[in-house]
Amino acid sequence: MVTKMEQFATWLINTYPLSEERNRVLLKGALQLFRQGNVIHAFEDGTSITGKVQDNGHRHVLLDMDIHELSRCSCGADSLCIHQLATFLSFWSQTRTIASLIEKWKEATPHTASGPSPLFQKKKVDSYSDASLASWLDFVDHQHDQYKRSIPSTRTYLTGLTHAFFPKLRLLAPKKAEVRPLFLLHASLFCMQEVMKSYDSSQPYQYIVDILHRFVDVIEEEAKGLFHSAIAFQLDTLLKESREMIRHMLLGQKEPFIREVFYAYQFVWNDVFQRRNWMSSELKELEGDQSLQAELAKTHLLFLQKKDDDALHIVKKHAHQYAPYVFNWLQALANSKAKDRLDTWLQTSLPIVTTYIHDEPTYERKRQLTKHLLKLLTDYALETKHDAMYIEAMKSLMPYSYGEYEWYLFETKKYRKWVELQLWMGFELSGLETYKIKEIKKADPYALFPLYHIAIQQAIGQRNKSSYKEATSLLKALHSLYKKEKLEDVWVEYILQIKEGTKRLRSFQEELKKGRFTYD
């Protein structure tokens, strides 16, 4: 089925043939705006494409894909202008390559009285050229059409995409070791786009995200496979087209899937495009675009260039909105043991990340992110021998960090702080691990006094025979701790206060006598 975008492209090609000089100038100007990143927004809105172009001020564009003559631009042009065409190029690049459009445009002949030629009619594509990204995408698109026709029900579509369609593409991928990973990388990006298109209210969001992450994992793997061959001269054209396509896929992506597409962008820049030293020119392409997607891309490129001050300036500007993305940069620095850089990033981003975790909607999610962050910080502390940030994070992430903080205090023999933590959490002495209590009794008996005092008061407060017996048993244990600390005079004062405060509780007074707590 021919899409409205393809219908508009057919009209465009037949109405503005490149055999005329003025149309070639129009295309050249639009391409320049597009490649310089001057198209800030381009998205579909019903039967229209709307966009904003930076060209001596902002130009607002509306392209009507049904009634082409109703298209307009705030520059005042009464026919197709460079801003309208640049907006369409940007929108087209989100799912196709610019090279494929221009190739069809060049091949086309001017329309005749018989009407426009069906340039974008679906055709069988049973093979592809190893050296043509456009032919790869046409081939994958054709295979996808065949797959959709073969499934018995749309309910099996997404499952089959990962378990049937993509495995088939693996079998049909080029055999050349230099080209094969790039083909599979683009096949994965294609699948991601199809998965995102299928998302609606009937599909659980997390289910869609899990499927997307499977393809993101493939992209990461294939990007690593391209690491050495990325500098090969024969891949130069393919990589340039890929870089353009992936950038525009990210810039055109809407919520709620910006994160997944950005991860894909990160992985290809980590291992593929960075090898061609294209980071400076990519930053120029993104210049002037203040969208979240563009800002994320700029931050990652600055991060790869080790321009941490510039990268962190953007992080601070976006703060909470950036928090989910910061984990990957911190993890990358931890993995590479870049201690000084990690320290710089943590100083800026730790407050942002901890606030974000507290704002997450569920305890499970808060705990999951806390565990992930503290694992990263544990490795950092072990490597640098500095645990100040680790401790600060544990404190600020309470109660979700209780497990790590409790263990840290016990293992570092900070027993009094360990007891303070139990009291803050409201835990009772009887619920704490016996071996830890025994260890603290040996090392620092005084630390346990507050836990025993509270436990005794709680037992007395229950006002029944069994609880009074429990209270006297706890008093005996506490007495032994007072003796160890050589505080017998303080103990006598304490037990007299207990006796005075409970003199109306006859049953408890009897238990005190049985326990020989007589200090008159």
Side-chain angles (χ1 to χ4, degrees):
M1 180 179 176
V2 179
T3 65
K4 287 187 180 294
M5 180 179 71
E6 291 169 337
Q7 289 173 350
F8 188 91
T10 298
W11 170 82
L12 179 68
I13 289 172
N14 285 292
T15 308
Y16 296 91
L18 294 181
S19 56
E20 296 182 19
E21 173 66 19
R22 61 180 180 178
N23 295 336
R24 292 197 296 273
V25 172
L26 177 70
L27 176 59
K28 183 179 179 181
L31 279 170
Q32 186 174 2
L33 286 174
F34 164 70
R35 286 171 176 159
Q36 288 175 346
N38 287 20
V39 182
I40 299 170
H41 297 294
F43 57 91
E44 194 170 7
D45 183 11
T47 60
S48 302
I49 299 171
T50 60
K52 186 162 67 174
V53 182
Q54 178 68 40
D55 183 28
N56 295 320
H58 286 141
R59 308 298 182 184
H60 297 273
V61 173
L62 184 143
L63 298 173
D64 193 308
M65 290 188 283
D66 280 342
I67 307 174
H68 311 134
E69 291 76 11
L70 295 180
S71 300
R72 57 188 181 273
C73 175
S74 62
C75 72
D78 55 6
S79 62
L80 187 75
C81 65
I82 59 172
H83 311 115
Q84 290 172 297
L85 183 51
T87 299
F88 181 73
L89 293 174
S90 179
F91 185 72
W92 175 274
S93 71
Q94 294 170 22
T95 55
R96 304 283 194 278
T97 65
I98 297 300
S100 67
L101 176 65
I102 294 175
E103 187 179 332
K104 291 182 185 344
W105 206 335
K106 287 178 178 177
E107 290 173 355
T109 55
H111 66 278
T112 62
S114 61
S117 58
L119 291 170
F120 292 91
Q121 202 169 5
K122 290 285 183 182
K123 59 182 180 180
K124 289 187 176 181
V125 184
D126 295 320
S127 61
Y128 56 84
S129 164
D130 280 3
S132 169
L133 180 56
S135 74
W136 290 1
L137 297 176
D138 285 341
F139 176 77
V140 171
D141 193 32
H142 172 63
Q143 293 296 323
H144 181 251
D145 282 345
Q146 286 187 321
Y147 160 69
K148 286 183 78 172
R149 286 195 294 269
S150 70
I151 56 176
S153 166
T154 54
R155 289 195 300 271
T156 65
Y157 171 72
L158 289 173
T159 305
L161 204 64
T162 55
H163 296 293
F165 175 63
F166 192 77
K168 182 182 179 183
L169 291 179
R170 279 194 183 278
L171 294 173
L172 298 172
K175 303 304 178 190
K176 276 187 184 177
E178 302 85 8
V179 177
R180 181 180 174 84
L182 189 59
F183 177 94
L184 291 173
L185 190 152
H186 279 284
S188 300
L189 289 169
F190 176 91
C191 290
M192 284 182 70
Q193 289 172 321
E194 295 304 319
V195 171
M196 290 184 288
K197 283 180 196 173
S198 72
Y199 176 58
D200 57 41
S201 57
S202 66
Q203 297 279 5
Y205 167 73
Q206 192 56 48
Y207 174 61
I208 299 294
V209 168
D210 289 344
I211 294 174
L212 287 173
H213 276 275
R214 293 180 196 177
F215 290 113
V216 171
D217 289 344
V218 174
I219 289 167
E220 181 181 16
E221 179 186 347
E222 299 305 336
K224 289 184 187 303
L226 277 167
F227 180 77
H228 293 294
S229 55
I231 56 172
F233 176 76
Q234 61 266 35
L235 287 183
D236 203 48
T237 302
L238 283 170
L239 290 175
K240 281 182 179 177
E241 290 180 353
S242 300
R243 171 187 155 206
E244 182 180 278
M245 179 182 166
I246 293 168
R247 181 198 323 126
H248 288 286
M249 180 177 170
L250 172 63
L251 296 181
Q253 186 56 49
K254 300 177 188 176
E255 292 288 13
F257 302 119
I258 291 174
R259 197 180 309 183
E260 285 66 37
V261 177
F262 176 62
Y263 290 158
Y265 182 91
Q266 279 185 300
F267 291 138
V268 294
W269 271 98
N270 289 348
D271 291 314
V272 183
F273 301 144
Q274 187 184 178
R275 298 280 285 169
R276 302 295 298 173
N277 199 24
W278 282 334
M279 287 180 285
S280 296
S281 57
E282 181 77 358
L283 281 165
K284 285 181 182 176
E285 297 283 1
L286 296 164
E287 206 171 277
D289 190 337
Q290 299 298 314
S291 67
L292 173 64
Q293 300 92 313
E295 293 281 84
L296 286 167
K298 291 175 202 172
T299 306
H300 189 56
L301 294 167
L302 292 167
F303 173 84
L304 292 175
Q305 291 180 314
K306 299 183 180 180
K307 296 179 179 179
D308 293 326
D309 289 343
D310 293 334
L312 287 168
H313 175 73
I314 303 175
V315 173
K316 283 188 279 189
K317 182 171 71 172
H318 294 279
H320 188 75
Q321 198 177 17
Y322 249 55
Y325 303 94
V326 171
F327 289 96
N328 272 11
W329 290 309
L330 294 179
Q331 190 65 63
L333 293 173
N335 291 345
S336 62
K337 298 184 178 181
K339 294 182 288 187
D340 293 339
R341 293 186 67 199
L342 181 55
D343 190 64
T344 301
W345 273 77
L346 283 171
Q347 287 178 29
T348 296
S349 61
L350 197 54
I352 295 170
V353 172
T354 52
T355 301
Y356 168 74
I357 292 172
H358 278 290
D359 290 343
E360 281 290 278
T362 65
Y363 179 88
E364 182 183 2
R365 179 65 175 157
K366 290 172 181 177
R367 175 63 191 137
Q368 181 187 34
L369 290 173
T370 295
K371 187 177 179 181
H372 177 59
L373 178 62
L374 292 181
K375 172 64 172 70
L376 188 154
L377 290 172
T378 302
D379 296 340
Y380 167 76
L382 289 171
E383 184 68 29
T384 61
K385 309 301 181 189
H386 298 301
D387 57 6
M389 286 191 187
Y390 180 56
I391 297 166
E392 180 188 340
M394 287 190 291
K395 287 178 178 177
S396 62
L397 287 169
M398 285 292 296
Y400 317 111
S401 58
Y402 168 76
E404 290 85 356
Y405 194 31
E406 179 271 338
W407 181 255
Y408 169 81
L409 292 175
F410 185 80
E411 287 298 303
T412 55
K413 303 186 187 306
K414 294 179 173 65
Y415 297 130
R416 299 189 185 191
K417 286 189 176 294
W418 183 88
V419 169
E420 286 175 13
L421 178 63
Q422 312 314 314
L423 295 171
W424 185 82
M425 291 292 292
F427 292 155
E428 296 180 6
L429 179 64
S430 59
L432 301 175
E433 293 170 290
T434 306
Y435 85 92
K436 290 183 179 177
I437 299 299
K438 285 181 178 177
E439 182 66 31
I440 298 172
K441 278 182 181 179
K442 292 178 188 175
D444 188 3
Y446 189 83
L448 294 172
F449 282 16
L451 281 172
Y452 274 94
H453 289 158
I454 290 171
I456 289 164
Q457 290 297 332
Q458 287 174 337
I460 295 170
Q462 291 178 38
R463 300 199 175 190
N464 60 64
K465 196 169 182 64
S466 63
S467 67
Y468 293 152
K469 285 184 177 180
E470 182 188 347
T472 53
S473 176
L474 289 168
L475 281 167
K476 287 178 182 179
L478 180 57
H479 188 194
S480 69
L481 298 182
Y482 271 88
K483 283 181 178 178
K484 279 188 177 182
E485 293 293 289
K486 297 179 181 178
L487 294 170
E488 191 69 24
D489 54 336
V490 181
W491 164 257
V492 171
E493 186 178 341
Y494 169 70
I495 198 65
L496 288 173
Q497 287 176 352
I498 291 285
K499 288 182 72 176
E500 180 64 23
T502 60
K503 60 185 178 183
R504 294 183 181 179
L505 304 177
R506 292 180 182 176
S507 295
F508 180 59
Q509 292 291 327
E510 288 175 10
E511 291 297 329
L512 287 177
K513 286 178 183 178
K514 289 178 185 178
R516 298 180 182 178
F517 294 109
T518 53
Y519 299 90
D520 297 320

